[in-house]
Amino acid sequence: MPYFDESLGNVMEKQMGRPFDLLLGRKTFEIFASYWPHHESPINEATKYVASNTLTTHKWNKSVFLNGNVADEVRQLKGDDGPDLQVHGSGNLIQTLLKHDLVDEMWLKIFPITLGAGRRLLAEGTIPAAFKVSSSKVLPGGVIVVNYERAGEVKTESF
């Protein structure tokens, strides 16, 4: 069975079914900007906040560049009365967000393949934080989708 079956599309639809803006690293933004402006998607209507030290403008509508202290700028965005902020890909940016306690929810999609050594999700500098599973699903192609939400204080009891 293919990994990207109809069920994965349904999961993505649920994730993007409520109002959202995107927070992206430069590399992921450039990948998205080469594809999504030419296709119908809610991504085109979302504001794209881009953490970049090099890009300052782009023709893709609703692109805003964060060129200062990303943690401070994200903290301010989270305090505003806007839609949810979603991060897709953007490994370096996610490390920054985890290091500064700016992650409220994670959607992990685990694919049944190995591609060799990769980047660690929870790298050095990640602060301790507790999460709980709010939903999970194993799709027909073997992809595991888990939604984690913040769960208060970290408890270090036995399993």
Side-chain angles (χ1 to χ4, degrees), residues 27-45:
K27 292 176 189 174
T28 302
F29 173 79
E30 288 178 334
I31 292 167
F32 277 32
S34 70
Y35 179 83
W36 287 114
H38 312 291
H39 298 84
E40 190 173 322
S41 170
I43 289 174
N44 291 315
E45 301 309 314

Side-chain angles (χ1 to χ4, degrees), residues 20-22 42-48 61-63:
F20 69 94
D21 286 337
L22 289 173
I43 289 174
N44 291 315
E45 301 309 314
T47 299
K48 279 74 68 183
N61 68 326
K62 298 176 112 178
S63 297

Side-chain angles (χ1 to χ4, degrees), residues 4 26-27 29 47-48 55 57 65 81 86 90-91 112 126 136 140-142 144-145 148 154:
F4 294 98
R26 180 194 51 82
K27 292 176 189 174
F29 173 79
T47 299
K48 279 74 68 183
L55 281 179
T57 62
F65 293 85
D81 193 26
Q86 295 184 6
S90 306
T126 300
S136 64
I144 301 169
V145 180
Y148 290 98
V154 173

